[in-house]
Amino acid sequence: MDDEASELAVVLTKRGNQPEGPRGGKGEPSKTTLEGTMQRTSNLDHISTKLQRIAELAKSAPSMAIRTLAHHIDVEFLHVAYQETRKDGAVGVDDQTAAEYGVSLESNLQSLLDRFKSGTYLAPPVRRVDIPKSDGGQRSLGIPTFEDKILQCAVTKVLTAVYEQDFLDCSYGFRPGRSAHQALKALWDATMRVGGGWVIDLDIRRFFDSVDHGRLKAILYQRVLDGVLRRTMHKWLKAGVLHDGMLRYPVAGTPQGGVISPLLANVYLHEVLDVWFEREVKPRLRGTATLIRYADDAVLVFAEEHDARRVMDVLPKRFEKYGLTLHPEKTKLVDFRRPGDGNGPDSFDVLGFTHFWGKSRKGSWMVQQKTAKSRFAAALRRVSEWCKNARHLAVSKQYKTLSAKLRGHYQYFGITGNRRALGAFLHEVERIWRKWLDRRSNRARMGWQRFALLLRRYQLPLPRVVHSVYRR
């Protein structure tokens, strides 16, 4: 019996000896490891102090444009940015890996700092790849060079310290201490508070490709007038995009795939939507209204239909003023009133979840959230593609990767009330796994009975509610 057949046949196995830690002891860290940890801690404390000073300055003068920020970025600052930059990402146009950059890390970071401060830093083109979307379209993904990622990370930290003092509570995307699940909870609270109400599900067409450079810089310069940062951000906006061997220079959009891109998007939409809605629109409405925005995904909840329709009429004009277009089919007004209160209820999808009315265990109507069909199907397609390509790997290796994929799925979609969808996803993953195990050999078919024995040894992670409303 070969190793692969033996692996499938064995149901129970004993735990082998555990490897010894460093030096054959209990796994205590080496002196070099301790020194590295202490140095990173010292760097983090140094950076935290700088960012706190920036934040205090920005908070004390909310209408002031800050002229000196770049001096906060030094080699230690770049060290922290380097540590926080992913080392396993795809390479940019220069084909340089993180490992290659780290060989001469000190000299590379010093050179980067000198070029950044002197204005001789040249923003390299971004390598673009197209990723299939669940709706059949294509999503463009930009891959900057590793060094460019480091500098963008450092600049993003400085700008975040400034703009976090300005951003409103309605914004949740790509902000420190905020998450999509907090946005979902805020949306649930808003709809429950008004009995569902009227919901505008807002979709901006190709937002990250459409941001007007002139308007974005005008918005940025209202708050940041540091010459070094302004010059560097201008270079990023004008950096070329390499796709299929062709280099082009976009006249609109934020740096594709760049670390700084989400922050620039928040800065832009803070002005376009958040401030406008909170300070100009809401005071003119008859009833209550709530805005919840996660990056370029936004939902507006109204207690009154009249208010919702008025805002729905003016939204296209508001976005057009800033060079943006609302998707005519995906942007819609939803009658989401509680069942029995009107013509509703309808449902809508936001952040990967379908929001709908359902009965609680006590029989009361309440807003519920479940995995959106499109996201459910897309996740299964990715699992199926992986199982197909990896079907000849050892079962133990397949099990390890599938377990990680399931835990990742539960980590996002594991919310209160969504356990049924989580269970269905696990069932489908098991079905897909058995299907591709069955197709890898004509000699040893993987029937359901044999697969059940396999699952006794390699039991995939069970559904888990990670984000519970009952745990605070």
Side-chain angles (χ1 to χ4, degrees):
M1 182 179 293
D2 58 22
D3 292 341
E4 186 174 275
S6 174
E7 183 182 36
L8 292 175
V10 176
V11 175
L12 299 176
T13 184
K14 295 182 179 180
R15 184 185 299 272
N17 294 329
Q18 298 299 314
E20 292 183 339
R23 303 179 186 175
K26 297 181 180 180
E28 68 272 12
S30 65
K31 181 179 179 181
T32 303
T33 302
L34 287 173
E35 290 175 348
T37 302
M38 292 174 64
Q39 181 62 46
R40 287 193 294 271
T41 302
S42 175
N43 287 343
L44 286 172
D45 292 340
H46 172 72
I47 301 310
S48 297
T49 301
K50 288 190 170 189
L51 295 178
Q52 185 176 359
R53 291 173 183 166
I54 297 172
E56 289 172 353
L57 174 62
K59 187 174 183 179
S60 64
S63 60
M64 181 183 73
I66 304 176
R67 295 180 177 274
T68 56
L69 286 171
H71 70 280
H72 291 287
I73 299 178
D74 53 20
V75 171
E76 286 181 287
F77 208 108
L78 292 179
H79 259 291
V80 173
Y82 166 80
Q83 293 295 334
E84 295 184 5
T85 301
R86 283 186 55 181
K87 310 300 189 295
D88 58 347
V91 296
V93 295
D94 61 354
D95 292 327
Q96 186 178 47
T97 64
E100 293 170 346
Y101 192 86
V103 171
S104 304
L105 181 60
E106 294 298 329
S107 60
N108 284 336
L109 293 182
Q110 185 62 57
S111 172
L112 174 60
L113 180 65
D114 294 341
R115 285 177 282 134
F116 167 63
K117 293 291 183 69
S118 65
T120 59
Y121 179 77
L122 300 177
V126 174
R127 185 165 65 86
R128 196 190 87 181
V129 295
D130 294 326
I131 307 297
K133 295 171 63 175
S134 58
D135 60 4
Q138 297 281 336
R139 172 177 283 110
S140 296
L141 176 64
I143 305 174
T145 64
F146 184 74
E147 183 176 68
D148 206 41
K149 293 177 184 177
I150 295 173
L151 186 56
Q152 286 194 30
C153 179
V155 172
T156 298
K157 284 181 175 295
V158 171
L159 294 180
T160 296
V162 174
Y163 282 103
E164 274 300 308
Q165 317 313 312
D166 300 345
F167 289 156
L168 304 181
D169 287 340
C170 60
S171 169
Y172 292 88
F174 304 103
R175 294 182 57 189
R178 295 195 158 222
S179 68
H181 295 96
Q182 291 177 336
L184 290 167
K185 179 60 168 58
L187 177 56
W188 188 88
D189 290 339
T191 50
M192 287 294 292
R193 192 161 49 242
V194 298
W198 294 79
V199 174
I200 295 179
D201 182 5
L202 189 152
D203 186 275
I204 306 172
R205 174 178 281 171
R206 299 182 63 85
F207 169 74
F208 287 94
D209 295 329
S210 304
V211 173
D212 183 275
H213 289 174
R215 290 183 174 88
L216 174 59
K217 288 189 286 187
I219 294 172
L220 285 167
Y221 299 164
Q222 292 175 11
R223 201 67 165 111
V224 176
L225 282 179
D226 182 283
V228 176
L229 293 185
R230 287 177 56 179
R231 182 172 57 226
T232 305
M233 287 188 288
H234 176 78
K235 291 178 180 179
W236 280 327
L237 291 174
K238 296 299 182 181
V241 176
L242 183 66
H243 184 230
D244 291 336
M246 298 290 293
L247 182 63
R248 65 178 184 85
Y249 295 90
V251 296
T254 58
Q256 296 187 36
V259 180
I260 202 170
S261 186
L263 174 63
L264 296 181
N266 273 335
V267 170
Y268 203 66
L269 288 175
H270 169 75
E271 178 73 19
V272 175
L273 182 60
D274 301 357
V275 173
W276 172 73
F277 184 77
E278 294 293 334
R279 298 177 185 174
E280 296 186 35
V281 175
K282 285 179 68 173
R284 294 177 169 85
L285 301 180
R286 294 178 182 176
T288 60
T290 305
L291 166 65
I292 300 99
R293 182 177 65 80
Y294 188 91
D296 60 328
D297 289 324
V299 178
L300 298 88
V301 182
F302 300 87
E304 300 287 339
E305 178 184 3
H306 176 266
D307 292 337
R309 294 195 179 278
R310 285 179 60 198
V311 174
M312 187 71 172
D313 289 339
V314 299
L315 274 174
K317 300 175 184 176
R318 175 66 182 179
F319 279 85
E320 184 180 354
K321 179 181 177 181
Y322 289 85
L324 301 175
T325 305
L326 296 182
H327 198 292
E329 297 175 359
K330 296 181 179 180
T331 298
K332 55 186 177 180
L333 178 60
V334 180
D335 181 355
F336 196 62
R337 288 173 291 175
R338 183 189 294 111
D341 290 349
N343 295 327
D346 203 345
S347 64
F348 60 95
D349 292 353
V350 173
L351 295 177
F353 289 89
T354 297
H355 302 255
F356 65 101
W357 282 98
K359 288 287 187 73
S360 68
R361 292 182 179 180
K362 296 182 179 180
S364 302
W365 286 109
M366 64 180 296
V367 177
Q368 297 183 347
Q369 300 164 330
K370 65 179 180 181
T371 309
K373 291 182 179 179
S374 59
R375 294 290 289 271
F376 189 93
L380 288 180
R381 281 197 298 271
R382 290 192 295 270
V383 169
S384 182
E385 187 67 21
W386 183 87
C387 287
K388 175 183 177 180
N389 295 331
R391 64 187 183 276
H392 293 298
L393 294 179
V395 172
S396 59
K397 293 183 178 180
Q398 294 187 43
Y399 162 75
K400 183 177 180 180
T401 300
L402 284 175
S403 295
K405 291 180 181 294
L406 278 167
R407 282 191 290 268
H409 187 85
Y410 301 157
Q411 184 65 35
Y412 186 78
F413 291 102
I415 66 173
T416 301
N418 197 36
R419 185 177 288 274
R420 179 177 295 180
L422 297 180
F425 187 77
L426 172 61
H427 174 75
E428 290 299 316
V429 169
E430 291 176 345
R431 183 186 63 80
I432 291 169
W433 193 22
R434 188 209 68 82
K435 167 188 170 182
W436 288 110
L437 287 176
D438 184 55
R439 294 187 180 186
R440 71 177 186 169
S441 173
N442 291 325
R443 293 186 296 110
R445 308 297 295 186
M446 181 59 68
W448 279 106
Q449 185 175 8
R450 192 175 182 217
F451 185 65
L453 291 176
L454 178 79
L455 288 180
R456 288 175 59 184
R457 180 180 183 187
Y458 297 108
Q459 182 180 8
L460 294 171
L462 296 176
R464 175 171 173 251
V465 175
V466 179
H467 308 278
S468 172
V469 296
Y470 304 110
R471 291 196 298 266
R472 297 293 183 182

